[in-house]
Amino acid sequence: MSKIARKDVLDEMTKDDLVAWIRNHHFYKPKRSDVLYIRWQRQSAEVLEEMQKENRALDGLDFKERDRLAANFNESKDTAEKLRLLDLIQPYDKAMSDHIKRSQALDRKSKRVDALYEQIDVERQKEPRT
């Protein structure tokens, strides 16, 4: 028996619908720390997913082969052979360079998400106790 996935009514609402609904229901008004926590939770999940994807980005490359090509390059005295080997090494080096750049960008994004988490505590200190 297969279950049909039902959409949550919140998924069907536009931003304006959600804001209007929240404002019309006075029984609960979210605190700034609540909003920051939801934002942090979503962004940290996105960063984690991106990091996991990036960690798999080099799975298809055999860096032992790259090392073998580099060793052959270092041993070779033939200029034409060295150029051929450089051409073979270049995709490995580019893939690694691109991976490092993407990882550094993810690190910066992760630091922004961490700062958002710290801001939650700052906002909680400002909020009245209930």
Side-chain angles (χ1 to χ4, degrees), residues 50-97:
E50 289 176 36
M51 285 179 171
Q52 289 171 343
K53 181 181 174 188
E54 189 56 43
N55 288 338
R56 294 186 305 268
L58 300 178
D59 284 353
L61 294 175
D62 181 4
F63 282 94
K64 288 181 182 177
E65 175 65 12
R66 187 252 178 242
D67 292 344
R68 187 188 66 73
L69 292 169
N72 289 348
F73 173 86
N74 291 334
E75 293 170 3
S76 180
K77 304 290 184 216
D78 181 14
T79 306
E81 177 65 7
K82 283 186 170 249
L83 287 174
R84 185 186 76 76
L85 291 168
L86 278 177
D87 284 342
L88 294 174
I89 292 170
Q90 191 275 335
Y92 293 99
D93 290 349
K94 180 168 178 10
M96 182 54 79
S97 176

Short mmCIF file of all heavy atoms in Angstrom, two decimals, residues 50-97:
data_model
loop_
_atom_site.label_atom_id
_atom_site.label_comp_id
_atom_site.label_asym_id
_atom_site.label_seq_id
_atom_site.Cartn_x
_atom_site.Cartn_y
_atom_site.Cartn_z
N GLU A 50 26.00 21.05 1.86
CA GLU A 50 27.00 21.50 0.89
C GLU A 50 28.38 20.93 1.20
O GLU A 50 29.12 20.54 0.30
CB GLU A 50 27.07 23.03 0.85
CG GLU A 50 25.86 23.69 0.22
CD GLU A 50 25.93 25.21 0.30
OE1 GLU A 50 27.03 25.77 0.19
OE2 GLU A 50 24.86 25.83 0.49
N MET A 51 28.72 20.85 2.49
CA MET A 51 30.01 20.29 2.89
C MET A 51 30.10 18.81 2.54
O MET A 51 31.12 18.34 2.06
CB MET A 51 30.26 20.50 4.38
CG MET A 51 30.61 21.89 4.76
SD MET A 51 30.85 22.00 6.56
CE MET A 51 31.53 23.64 6.68
N GLN A 52 29.02 18.09 2.79
CA GLN A 52 29.01 16.67 2.46
C GLN A 52 29.13 16.46 0.95
O GLN A 52 29.87 15.58 0.50
CB GLN A 52 27.73 16.02 2.99
CG GLN A 52 27.71 15.91 4.50
CD GLN A 52 26.36 15.47 5.05
OE1 GLN A 52 25.34 15.53 4.37
NE2 GLN A 52 26.36 15.05 6.30
N LYS A 53 28.46 17.30 0.18
CA LYS A 53 28.56 17.22 -1.27
C LYS A 53 29.99 17.53 -1.71
O LYS A 53 30.55 16.83 -2.57
CB LYS A 53 27.58 18.20 -1.91
CG LYS A 53 27.60 18.19 -3.41
CD LYS A 53 26.62 19.20 -3.98
CE LYS A 53 26.75 19.28 -5.48
NZ LYS A 53 25.95 20.37 -6.04
N GLU A 54 30.58 18.55 -1.13
CA GLU A 54 31.95 18.93 -1.50
C GLU A 54 32.94 17.85 -1.12
O GLU A 54 33.91 17.60 -1.83
CB GLU A 54 32.34 20.26 -0.86
CG GLU A 54 33.64 20.82 -1.36
CD GLU A 54 33.69 20.99 -2.87
OE1 GLU A 54 32.71 21.46 -3.47
OE2 GLU A 54 34.73 20.64 -3.47
N ASN A 55 32.71 17.18 0.00
CA ASN A 55 33.61 16.10 0.41
C ASN A 55 33.58 14.93 -0.57
O ASN A 55 34.54 14.18 -0.65
CB ASN A 55 33.25 15.62 1.82
CG ASN A 55 33.65 16.62 2.87
OD1 ASN A 55 34.51 17.47 2.66
ND2 ASN A 55 33.02 16.55 4.03
N ARG A 56 32.49 14.80 -1.31
CA ARG A 56 32.38 13.74 -2.31
C ARG A 56 32.82 14.20 -3.70
O ARG A 56 32.90 13.39 -4.62
CB ARG A 56 30.94 13.23 -2.38
CG ARG A 56 30.47 12.52 -1.12
CD ARG A 56 29.09 11.91 -1.29
NE ARG A 56 28.09 12.87 -1.71
CZ ARG A 56 27.29 13.58 -0.89
NH1 ARG A 56 27.40 13.44 0.41
NH2 ARG A 56 26.40 14.42 -1.38
N ALA A 57 33.14 15.47 -3.85
CA ALA A 57 33.44 16.05 -5.17
C ALA A 57 34.67 15.41 -5.83
O ALA A 57 34.74 15.33 -7.05
CB ALA A 57 33.63 17.56 -5.06
N LEU A 58 35.62 14.96 -5.04
CA LEU A 58 36.86 14.40 -5.60
C LEU A 58 36.87 12.88 -5.62
O LEU A 58 37.89 12.28 -5.94
CB LEU A 58 38.07 14.92 -4.82
CG LEU A 58 38.27 16.44 -4.82
CD1 LEU A 58 39.46 16.82 -3.95
CD2 LEU A 58 38.42 16.98 -6.22
N ASP A 59 35.74 12.27 -5.28
CA ASP A 59 35.69 10.81 -5.20
C ASP A 59 36.09 10.11 -6.49
O ASP A 59 36.67 9.04 -6.47
CB ASP A 59 34.29 10.34 -4.78
CG ASP A 59 34.02 10.55 -3.30
OD1 ASP A 59 34.97 10.94 -2.57
OD2 ASP A 59 32.88 10.34 -2.87
N GLY A 60 35.81 10.70 -7.63
CA GLY A 60 36.09 10.04 -8.89
C GLY A 60 37.51 10.20 -9.39
O GLY A 60 37.87 9.64 -10.41
N LEU A 61 38.31 10.97 -8.68
CA LEU A 61 39.68 11.22 -9.14
C LEU A 61 40.68 10.34 -8.39
O LEU A 61 40.62 10.20 -7.18
CB LEU A 61 40.05 12.69 -8.94
CG LEU A 61 39.25 13.67 -9.80
CD1 LEU A 61 39.61 15.11 -9.43
CD2 LEU A 61 39.52 13.44 -11.27
N ASP A 62 41.62 9.79 -9.15
CA ASP A 62 42.66 8.93 -8.59
C ASP A 62 43.94 9.75 -8.43
O ASP A 62 44.69 9.93 -9.38
CB ASP A 62 42.89 7.73 -9.52
CG ASP A 62 43.94 6.77 -9.01
OD1 ASP A 62 44.45 6.99 -7.88
OD2 ASP A 62 44.24 5.81 -9.73
N PHE A 63 44.15 10.27 -7.23
CA PHE A 63 45.32 11.12 -7.01
C PHE A 63 46.63 10.31 -6.94
O PHE A 63 47.70 10.89 -7.09
CB PHE A 63 45.13 11.99 -5.77
CG PHE A 63 44.23 13.16 -6.06
CD1 PHE A 63 42.87 13.09 -5.81
CD2 PHE A 63 44.73 14.31 -6.64
CE1 PHE A 63 42.04 14.15 -6.11
CE2 PHE A 63 43.92 15.38 -6.95
CZ PHE A 63 42.56 15.30 -6.68
N LYS A 64 46.53 9.00 -6.79
CA LYS A 64 47.73 8.18 -6.90
C LYS A 64 48.24 8.22 -8.34
O LYS A 64 49.45 8.24 -8.58
CB LYS A 64 47.45 6.74 -6.46
CG LYS A 64 47.25 6.61 -4.97
CD LYS A 64 47.00 5.18 -4.57
CE LYS A 64 46.76 5.09 -3.07
NZ LYS A 64 46.45 3.74 -2.65
N GLU A 65 47.29 8.26 -9.27
CA GLU A 65 47.65 8.38 -10.68
C GLU A 65 48.32 9.73 -10.93
O GLU A 65 49.31 9.83 -11.65
CB GLU A 65 46.42 8.21 -11.58
CG GLU A 65 46.66 8.45 -13.05
CD GLU A 65 47.61 7.44 -13.70
OE1 GLU A 65 47.93 6.41 -13.08
OE2 GLU A 65 48.04 7.69 -14.84
N ARG A 66 47.81 10.77 -10.32
CA ARG A 66 48.40 12.10 -10.45
C ARG A 66 49.83 12.09 -9.90
O ARG A 66 50.74 12.64 -10.51
CB ARG A 66 47.55 13.13 -9.72
CG ARG A 66 48.00 14.57 -9.94
CD ARG A 66 48.65 15.10 -8.65
NE ARG A 66 49.12 16.45 -8.86
CZ ARG A 66 50.39 16.81 -8.76
NH1 ARG A 66 51.31 15.93 -8.48
NH2 ARG A 66 50.75 18.05 -8.94
N ASP A 67 50.03 11.46 -8.76
CA ASP A 67 51.36 11.36 -8.16
C ASP A 67 52.31 10.57 -9.05
O ASP A 67 53.49 10.91 -9.19
CB ASP A 67 51.29 10.72 -6.78
CG ASP A 67 50.58 11.61 -5.76
OD1 ASP A 67 50.40 12.82 -6.03
OD2 ASP A 67 50.19 11.08 -4.70
N ARG A 68 51.79 9.51 -9.68
CA ARG A 68 52.61 8.71 -10.60
C ARG A 68 53.03 9.56 -11.80
O ARG A 68 54.20 9.55 -12.22
CB ARG A 68 51.83 7.47 -11.05
CG ARG A 68 52.67 6.48 -11.88
CD ARG A 68 51.82 5.37 -12.47
NE ARG A 68 50.86 5.83 -13.46
CZ ARG A 68 51.18 6.24 -14.70
NH1 ARG A 68 52.42 6.25 -15.09
NH2 ARG A 68 50.23 6.61 -15.54
N LEU A 69 52.09 10.33 -12.34
CA LEU A 69 52.40 11.21 -13.47
C LEU A 69 53.43 12.26 -13.07
O LEU A 69 54.36 12.56 -13.84
CB LEU A 69 51.12 11.88 -13.98
CG LEU A 69 50.09 10.99 -14.66
CD1 LEU A 69 48.78 11.73 -14.87
CD2 LEU A 69 50.62 10.44 -15.98
N ALA A 70 53.30 12.80 -11.86
CA ALA A 70 54.25 13.82 -11.39
C ALA A 70 55.64 13.21 -11.21
O ALA A 70 56.65 13.85 -11.55
CB ALA A 70 53.75 14.42 -10.08
N ALA A 71 55.70 12.00 -10.71
CA ALA A 71 57.00 11.32 -10.57
C ALA A 71 57.64 11.09 -11.93
O ALA A 71 58.84 11.32 -12.11
CB ALA A 71 56.83 10.00 -9.82
N ASN A 72 56.83 10.67 -12.90
CA ASN A 72 57.34 10.49 -14.26
C ASN A 72 57.83 11.82 -14.84
O ASN A 72 58.85 11.87 -15.54
CB ASN A 72 56.28 9.90 -15.18
CG ASN A 72 55.99 8.45 -14.87
OD1 ASN A 72 56.73 7.80 -14.14
ND2 ASN A 72 54.90 7.94 -15.42
N PHE A 73 57.11 12.88 -14.55
CA PHE A 73 57.50 14.21 -15.00
C PHE A 73 58.88 14.57 -14.43
O PHE A 73 59.75 15.05 -15.15
CB PHE A 73 56.46 15.26 -14.57
CG PHE A 73 56.86 16.67 -14.86
CD1 PHE A 73 56.61 17.24 -16.09
CD2 PHE A 73 57.49 17.44 -13.89
CE1 PHE A 73 56.99 18.55 -16.36
CE2 PHE A 73 57.88 18.74 -14.15
CZ PHE A 73 57.63 19.30 -15.39
N ASN A 74 59.04 14.34 -13.13
CA ASN A 74 60.31 14.68 -12.47
C ASN A 74 61.48 13.86 -13.00
O ASN A 74 62.61 14.34 -13.04
CB ASN A 74 60.19 14.51 -10.95
CG ASN A 74 59.27 15.55 -10.34
OD1 ASN A 74 59.11 16.64 -10.87
ND2 ASN A 74 58.67 15.20 -9.21
N GLU A 75 61.22 12.63 -13.40
CA GLU A 75 62.28 11.75 -13.90
C GLU A 75 62.62 11.99 -15.36
O GLU A 75 63.73 11.69 -15.79
CB GLU A 75 61.86 10.29 -13.71
CG GLU A 75 61.77 9.87 -12.25
CD GLU A 75 61.13 8.50 -12.09
OE1 GLU A 75 60.81 7.84 -13.11
OE2 GLU A 75 60.94 8.10 -10.93
N SER A 76 61.66 12.52 -16.10
CA SER A 76 61.84 12.65 -17.55
C SER A 76 62.82 13.78 -17.89
O SER A 76 62.85 14.82 -17.25
CB SER A 76 60.50 12.93 -18.22
OG SER A 76 60.68 13.06 -19.60
N LYS A 77 63.60 13.54 -18.95
CA LYS A 77 64.52 14.55 -19.48
C LYS A 77 63.99 15.10 -20.80
O LYS A 77 64.47 16.11 -21.28
CB LYS A 77 65.92 13.94 -19.72
CG LYS A 77 66.53 13.29 -18.50
CD LYS A 77 66.93 14.31 -17.47
CE LYS A 77 67.64 13.61 -16.32
NZ LYS A 77 67.35 14.18 -15.05
N ASP A 78 62.99 14.43 -21.36
CA ASP A 78 62.43 14.79 -22.66
C ASP A 78 61.38 15.91 -22.48
O ASP A 78 60.37 15.74 -21.80
CB ASP A 78 61.79 13.55 -23.29
CG ASP A 78 61.18 13.83 -24.66
OD1 ASP A 78 61.49 14.89 -25.25
OD2 ASP A 78 60.40 12.98 -25.14
N THR A 79 61.62 17.06 -23.15
CA THR A 79 60.73 18.21 -23.03
C THR A 79 59.33 17.90 -23.54
O THR A 79 58.33 18.28 -22.90
CB THR A 79 61.30 19.42 -23.81
OG1 THR A 79 62.64 19.66 -23.36
CG2 THR A 79 60.49 20.66 -23.60
N ALA A 80 59.21 17.22 -24.64
CA ALA A 80 57.90 16.87 -25.19
C ALA A 80 57.14 15.96 -24.23
O ALA A 80 55.92 16.11 -24.03
CB ALA A 80 58.06 16.20 -26.55
N GLU A 81 57.85 15.02 -23.63
CA GLU A 81 57.22 14.11 -22.65
C GLU A 81 56.77 14.88 -21.41
O GLU A 81 55.69 14.64 -20.88
CB GLU A 81 58.20 12.99 -22.27
CG GLU A 81 57.68 12.03 -21.22
CD GLU A 81 56.48 11.19 -21.65
OE1 GLU A 81 56.08 11.24 -22.83
OE2 GLU A 81 55.91 10.50 -20.79
N LYS A 82 57.59 15.82 -20.98
CA LYS A 82 57.22 16.65 -19.81
C LYS A 82 55.95 17.44 -20.11
O LYS A 82 55.05 17.53 -19.25
CB LYS A 82 58.36 17.58 -19.42
CG LYS A 82 59.47 16.90 -18.66
CD LYS A 82 60.49 17.94 -18.18
CE LYS A 82 61.45 17.30 -17.23
NZ LYS A 82 61.33 17.74 -15.86
N LEU A 83 55.84 18.01 -21.30
CA LEU A 83 54.64 18.76 -21.68
C LEU A 83 53.42 17.85 -21.73
O LEU A 83 52.32 18.23 -21.29
CB LEU A 83 54.85 19.46 -23.04
CG LEU A 83 55.77 20.66 -23.02
CD1 LEU A 83 56.02 21.18 -24.44
CD2 LEU A 83 55.21 21.77 -22.14
N ARG A 84 53.60 16.65 -22.26
CA ARG A 84 52.49 15.69 -22.31
C ARG A 84 52.03 15.33 -20.90
O ARG A 84 50.82 15.29 -20.61
CB ARG A 84 52.93 14.42 -23.07
CG ARG A 84 51.80 13.41 -23.28
CD ARG A 84 52.32 12.13 -23.92
NE ARG A 84 53.02 11.29 -22.97
CZ ARG A 84 52.42 10.53 -22.04
NH1 ARG A 84 51.12 10.50 -21.94
NH2 ARG A 84 53.14 9.78 -21.21
N LEU A 85 52.99 15.11 -20.01
CA LEU A 85 52.66 14.77 -18.63
C LEU A 85 51.98 15.94 -17.92
O LEU A 85 51.04 15.74 -17.13
CB LEU A 85 53.92 14.31 -17.88
CG LEU A 85 54.48 12.96 -18.33
CD1 LEU A 85 55.87 12.73 -17.75
CD2 LEU A 85 53.54 11.82 -17.95
N LEU A 86 52.45 17.15 -18.19
CA LEU A 86 51.81 18.32 -17.59
C LEU A 86 50.34 18.42 -18.02
O LEU A 86 49.47 18.76 -17.20
CB LEU A 86 52.55 19.61 -17.99
CG LEU A 86 53.78 19.96 -17.18
CD1 LEU A 86 54.45 21.21 -17.74
CD2 LEU A 86 53.45 20.14 -15.71
N ASP A 87 50.09 18.12 -19.30
CA ASP A 87 48.71 18.13 -19.79
C ASP A 87 47.86 17.09 -19.06
O ASP A 87 46.68 17.33 -18.79
CB ASP A 87 48.66 17.87 -21.29
CG ASP A 87 49.08 19.09 -22.12
OD1 ASP A 87 49.08 20.21 -21.56
OD2 ASP A 87 49.40 18.91 -23.31
N LEU A 88 48.45 15.96 -18.75
CA LEU A 88 47.72 14.90 -18.03
C LEU A 88 47.52 15.24 -16.56
O LEU A 88 46.52 14.85 -15.95
CB LEU A 88 48.47 13.56 -18.16
CG LEU A 88 48.54 12.97 -19.57
CD1 LEU A 88 49.43 11.73 -19.58
CD2 LEU A 88 47.14 12.64 -20.08
N ILE A 89 48.45 15.97 -15.97
CA ILE A 89 48.38 16.35 -14.55
C ILE A 89 47.40 17.51 -14.34
O ILE A 89 46.74 17.58 -13.29
CB ILE A 89 49.79 16.73 -14.03
CG1 ILE A 89 50.68 15.49 -13.99
CG2 ILE A 89 49.73 17.39 -12.67
CD1 ILE A 89 52.16 15.80 -13.71
N GLN A 90 47.29 18.38 -15.32
CA GLN A 90 46.52 19.62 -15.18
C GLN A 90 45.08 19.40 -14.68
O GLN A 90 44.65 20.11 -13.78
CB GLN A 90 46.54 20.39 -16.50
CG GLN A 90 46.00 21.79 -16.45
CD GLN A 90 44.49 21.86 -16.61
OE1 GLN A 90 43.86 20.99 -17.20
NE2 GLN A 90 43.91 22.91 -16.05
N PRO A 91 44.30 18.44 -15.18
CA PRO A 91 42.93 18.26 -14.67
C PRO A 91 42.88 17.92 -13.18
O PRO A 91 41.98 18.37 -12.47
CB PRO A 91 42.37 17.11 -15.51
CG PRO A 91 43.20 17.10 -16.75
CD PRO A 91 44.55 17.57 -16.33
N TYR A 92 43.86 17.17 -12.70
CA TYR A 92 43.92 16.83 -11.27
C TYR A 92 44.17 18.10 -10.45
O TYR A 92 43.52 18.33 -9.43
CB TYR A 92 45.03 15.82 -11.00
CG TYR A 92 44.80 14.46 -11.60
CD1 TYR A 92 45.41 14.09 -12.80
CD2 TYR A 92 43.99 13.52 -10.97
CE1 TYR A 92 45.22 12.83 -13.35
CE2 TYR A 92 43.79 12.26 -11.51
CZ TYR A 92 44.40 11.93 -12.71
OH TYR A 92 44.19 10.68 -13.24
N ASP A 93 45.14 18.90 -10.90
CA ASP A 93 45.48 20.11 -10.17
C ASP A 93 44.32 21.11 -10.18
O ASP A 93 44.05 21.76 -9.18
CB ASP A 93 46.75 20.74 -10.74
CG ASP A 93 47.99 19.92 -10.44
OD1 ASP A 93 47.92 18.98 -9.61
OD2 ASP A 93 49.05 20.21 -11.04
N LYS A 94 43.64 21.22 -11.31
CA LYS A 94 42.50 22.12 -11.40
C LYS A 94 41.38 21.65 -10.49
O LYS A 94 40.77 22.46 -9.78
CB LYS A 94 42.00 22.22 -12.84
CG LYS A 94 40.80 23.17 -12.96
CD LYS A 94 40.47 23.50 -14.37
CE LYS A 94 39.27 24.39 -14.54
NZ LYS A 94 38.67 25.02 -13.43
N ALA A 95 41.10 20.36 -10.48
CA ALA A 95 40.05 19.83 -9.62
C ALA A 95 40.36 20.10 -8.15
O ALA A 95 39.48 20.50 -7.38
CB ALA A 95 39.87 18.33 -9.86
N MET A 96 41.63 19.91 -7.77
CA MET A 96 42.02 20.15 -6.38
C MET A 96 41.94 21.64 -6.05
O MET A 96 41.45 22.04 -4.99
CB MET A 96 43.43 19.62 -6.11
CG MET A 96 43.87 19.80 -4.67
SD MET A 96 42.73 19.12 -3.44
CE MET A 96 43.15 17.41 -3.52
N SER A 97 42.40 22.49 -6.96
CA SER A 97 42.35 23.93 -6.75
C SER A 97 40.90 24.41 -6.61
O SER A 97 40.58 25.20 -5.71
CB SER A 97 43.03 24.65 -7.92
OG SER A 97 42.90 26.03 -7.79
#
